Amino acid sequence: MLLTGRRHPAVRRLAFGTAVALPALFLPAALPTAGAAPARPDLAALVTLGDIRPHLAAFQEIADYNGGDRAAGRAGYDVSVRYVTGRLKKYGFAPRVQKFTYPYWRERTPAAFARTAPSKASYRREADFLTLAYSGSGDVTAPAAAVDVPSKGEGTSGCEAGDFKGFAKGSIALVQRGTCTFAAKAANARAAGASAVVIFNKPGERGPLNGTLSRPAAVPVVGPTHAVGAALVKAARKGGLKLRVRTDAVHGRRASANVIADTPQGRADNVVVAGAHLDSVPAGPGINDNGTGAAVLLAVAAKIKQLGRDGLRNRVRFAWWGAEEEGLQGSEQYLRSLPVSQRARIALNLNFDMLGSPNGTRGVYDGDHSTGAGTRAPAGSGAIERMFRQYFQGRRLPVTESRFDGRSDYGPFVERGIPAGGMDTGAEGVKTAAEAKVFGGRAGKAYDPCYHARCDRLKNVNLRMLDSNADGIAHVLQHLARTTVAVNGGARFGPAAVDPSYAPLWQGPYLLR
């Protein structure tokens, strides 16, 4: 999962159900009566944990024998692409490998961050601060000024050019993470004449800010912890604060690839895109982030043909995105490569990024913007959220609303007005006491303590959570493969997109409304 500034929810709203009898959907099916129409296949029942685990093991083995990771531009990723395309061919698909280049960035020498006046202090790299990916290089010592930092909460610090009114050129800008991308904050600071940018973490988030600007910046940009940043803001408001920021980085271009595979059946003018990023970060094998999403898509692809022509009225396009961890590069390159006429044929996007966090929650993207946080999604996104929520309610499994903030590969779709939805189970955010009561696990600890780390291996995956999430994904995808009327109305694709005889699998008196 990419960290760009449009972040994982600091607040997740829990959705609770009351005790009800299990619906018939979740009880053993009765034998059909003589002459009765055959029951429709149930994709959620067809896709099992036994189908998913071999893919996770394969991704782990690929990483172990290829430098310990599956990062874009490295051997582990290239072998992962070959593995996915090989599986898809075995399942009867004709996968396409879409190659592209993207900007890359790395630090040549460790960065330095220090307070030089009115008192001196040196901050520790990794413990107190990190360099944001695509930071520019430089060694700057200058006065620091706080920019529209709220007294509490997230705020919009640095998100608007007007925030920098009165900012002295050549100063170092102190801004707090939140609302808009790190790239937007850095660009606004640079336009105001900042010589360096310090983007510190927001309240409730532990550790330094480990993010990316997505493209090379002209000035050094570092991300300290909230505690460090808040102390610096306090000192800046008193006056006389000076900081030193030194970064030394190199950037260029690298090659990566997406893997795309369409079902042979289904309308080509009403395409359901289901995606997950295939790459890891260089620090580890990325089995939860995002081997889980990639493996679930493979398991679903292996069984989806059993839905038959009647169950695949809309084309399903499976996508394994490359270089997500480098700034959503694969999904962005894919959409940019499509002519407008082809892009208009995409009915919606589903995205699955981290499905088995060991201390996780069952997060469904907040498509209806009911939490009031993140980005207001295109119309139809709320319907996708409701499909996931109702499925899990029917199974009496709690969910949270995961902020719709563009942090993963659905972001480029949303930016182009395409409805989107999906799931995650949490990254480096901290589980609340209320979440621990509902989902189990440990309050005050990260959803995934191995996020972007070497320990993100097979043992890091919550298989029980992964299994139930895969059921929900298969179920919702089966429904959307048959009809997208609740998402896009079917109007621009003609009346054939609407199936009045079809009742969604979750309809019935047991719904928790």
Side-chain angles (χ1 to χ4, degrees):
M1 175 178 286
L2 173 72
L3 196 158
T4 64
R6 294 171 289 187
R7 297 293 307 276
H8 201 271
V11 178
R12 291 175 156 226
R13 192 175 74 179
L14 300 178
F16 301 94
T18 55
V20 293
L22 278 175
L25 173 62
F26 306 110
L27 298 176
L31 292 174
T33 58
R40 286 178 177 146
D42 180 1
L43 193 58
L46 292 172
V47 176
T48 69
L49 186 60
D51 299 318
I52 300 167
R53 291 184 70 172
H55 301 312
L56 296 177
F59 291 141
Q60 180 67 71
E61 185 173 354
I62 288 168
D64 287 345
Y65 283 91
N66 290 277
D69 66 84
R70 299 182 302 103
R74 296 162 69 99
Y77 185 76
D78 294 342
V79 178
S80 296
V81 167
R82 294 173 189 171
Y83 175 79
V84 170
T85 55
R87 294 294 90 192
L88 290 170
K89 289 175 182 177
K90 182 178 180 181
Y91 304 151
F93 288 87
R96 309 185 304 279
V97 176
Q98 181 190 31
K99 296 181 180 181
F100 60 89
T101 62
Y102 67 95
Y104 80 91
W105 174 94
R106 67 176 176 85
E107 289 188 273
R108 288 183 291 201
T109 58
F113 180 43
R115 186 176 64 218
T116 62
S119 59
K120 295 184 178 182
S122 293
Y123 300 107
R124 297 168 298 165
R125 184 175 176 270
E126 296 187 354
D128 298 321
F129 79 98
L130 287 168
T131 310
L132 271 71
Y134 296 103
S135 165
S137 296
D139 192 344
V140 177
T141 300
V147 178
D148 193 33
V149 177
S151 57
K152 61 179 180 179
E154 181 174 315
T156 61
S157 174
C159 289
E160 300 172 354
D163 295 345
F164 293 85
K165 184 177 181 180
F167 183 84
K169 290 185 177 182
S171 298
I172 296 173
L174 275 172
V175 299
Q176 180 175 282
R177 193 200 91 202
T179 307
C180 64
T181 65
F182 303 141
K185 293 176 187 286
N188 288 334
R190 178 58 178 163
S195 57
V197 186
V198 177
I199 307 176
F200 62 93
N201 228 334
K202 64 183 178 182
E205 296 288 349
R206 295 187 176 183
L209 199 157
N210 182 15
T212 178
L213 300 168
S214 299
R215 58 184 60 87
V219 296
V221 185
V222 296
T225 64
H226 176 73
V228 168
L232 292 176
V233 167
K234 186 176 180 180
R237 287 172 174 166
K238 290 181 179 179
L241 176 66
K242 286 188 177 182
L243 298 175
R244 182 193 180 202
V245 180
R246 183 183 65 80
T247 56
D248 178 24
V250 63
H251 62 86
R253 298 194 70 83
R254 283 184 176 169
S256 190
N258 298 320
V259 180
I260 312 292
D262 286 8
T263 54
Q265 301 89 0
R267 298 178 51 168
D269 61 353
N270 200 42
V271 180
V272 176
V273 178
H277 75 86
L278 184 57
D279 61 317
S280 73
V281 294
I287 302 306
N288 184 40
D289 182 17
N290 182 36
T292 51
V296 167
L297 280 192
L298 276 173
V300 171
K303 302 294 179 68
I304 198 166
K305 65 181 178 182
Q306 297 187 39
L307 300 182
R309 188 176 298 276
D310 184 59
L312 288 166
R313 298 188 177 187
N314 299 313
R315 184 160 299 178
V316 176
R317 178 166 298 153
F318 294 99
W320 289 263
W321 307 117
E324 187 267 1
E325 300 288 5
E326 300 292 336
L328 313 182
Q329 300 290 344
S331 52
E332 175 64 32
Q333 292 281 353
Y334 168 74
L335 286 170
R336 192 179 298 167
S337 72
L338 291 180
V340 174
S341 60
Q342 292 292 324
R343 197 184 304 161
R345 296 181 178 187
I346 298 175
L348 60 104
N349 171 242
L350 299 178
N351 188 72
F352 308 109
D353 192 352
M354 302 181 67
L355 300 175
S357 300
N359 193 40
T361 59
R362 188 174 293 103
V364 175
Y365 295 162
D366 180 22
D368 61 4
H369 201 61
S370 58
T371 64
T375 301
R376 188 176 295 277
S381 302
I384 301 172
E385 178 193 352
R386 184 169 176 80
M387 292 174 188
F388 280 104
R389 288 169 61 85
Q390 288 188 331
Y391 174 78
F392 289 118
Q393 285 175 344
R395 288 187 57 178
R396 293 188 287 186
L397 293 172
V399 300
T400 70
E401 290 187 295
S402 185
R403 187 168 63 186
F404 213 44
D405 54 13
R407 182 177 172 179
S408 191
D409 281 305
Y410 64 88
F413 289 86
V414 169
E415 290 174 359
R416 290 165 172 83
I418 298 171
M423 296 189 68
D424 65 48
T425 53
E428 81 285 11
V430 176
K431 177 173 274 189
T432 67
E435 290 171 337
K437 184 177 180 180
V438 173
F439 293 97
R442 300 180 63 187
K445 300 295 182 182
Y447 298 118
D448 184 355
C450 290
Y451 173 68
H452 283 190
R454 184 181 301 177
C455 58
D456 188 7
R457 301 176 61 84
L458 278 168
K459 291 183 179 180
N460 188 49
V461 177
N462 182 335
L463 293 175
R464 184 176 181 181
M465 179 77 76
L466 176 63
D467 189 22
S468 64
N469 289 345
D471 291 342
I473 290 166
H475 178 88
V476 171
L477 188 56
Q478 177 172 357
H479 175 61
L480 293 169
R482 203 161 195 273
T483 173
T484 62
V485 65
V487 178
N488 63 359
R492 59 177 175 159
F493 304 111
V498 182
D499 179 11
S501 69
Y502 178 56
L505 296 177
W506 52 76
Q507 284 187 358
Y510 64 90
L511 286 185
L512 311 177
R513 300 186 184 277

